[in-house]
Amino acid sequence: TILTNPNNTHIFRDIKTIKFREVISETDGVKVVEVHQMGEVRVLWKRNEYVTQLRVTEDSNAQKIAFELLKSDVLSKFNGEWKLSGSLDSSGKVTTVSALEQDVLPQGMPPWL
């Protein structure tokens, strides 16, 4: 799928490249992956590159993907999960509904924000 594609840089606009991706474990429909990615952020005319390491848990049984920040140049917190579910639209066709919950805190911000 789009979310679990090892090279999903063309999907997420802030990710430039995947530097490293390693499957840590895979059992009973649950895969744990460590991902090191390089991104870019623009503020006005200035561009900055940054590196982020994530632990991603892909649970095909529960149809969810959780992510946890391991290390980052620009973030002190970046955790959350994507959940996918099926739904019927008004014509009776099955569609996929995706939901994203995440906690994001840039470095240097007070933790109580």
Side-chain angles (χ1 to χ4, degrees), residues 5-106:
N5 185 322
N7 187 16
N8 56 12
T9 57
H10 62 285
I11 304 299
F12 298 101
R13 69 173 182 244
D14 295 334
I15 301 173
K16 288 181 68 174
T17 60
I18 303 295
K19 301 296 258 177
F20 175 81
R21 184 179 191 279
E22 179 182 3
V23 176
I24 304 300
S25 66
E26 188 170 8
T27 55
D28 299 326
V30 178
K31 183 192 296 186
V32 179
V33 181
E34 188 171 316
V35 180
H36 299 214
Q37 56 196 27
M38 180 177 281
E40 180 179 76
V41 63
R42 288 188 329 185
V43 178
L44 299 175
W45 63 90
K46 187 171 175 152
R47 294 175 187 242
N48 285 334
E49 290 184 345
Y50 60 90
V51 176
T52 301
Q53 292 176 249
L54 299 172
R55 177 176 295 118
V56 180
T57 303
E58 304 169 3
D59 187 339
S60 61
N61 301 316
Q63 295 185 318
K64 69 179 184 177
I65 302 164
F67 53 92
E68 173 188 3
L69 182 67
L70 299 176
K71 185 178 177 184
S72 175
D73 295 341
V74 295
L75 300 171
S76 60
K77 184 185 237 185
F78 184 60
N79 305 310
E81 71 180 16
W82 288 89
K83 292 181 185 176
L84 304 174
S85 61
S87 179
L88 292 177
D89 67 11
S90 59
S91 67
K93 293 182 182 177
V94 177
T95 61
T96 300
V97 177
S98 64
L100 170 64
E101 283 185 36
Q102 63 183 4
D103 287 326
V104 180
L105 187 65

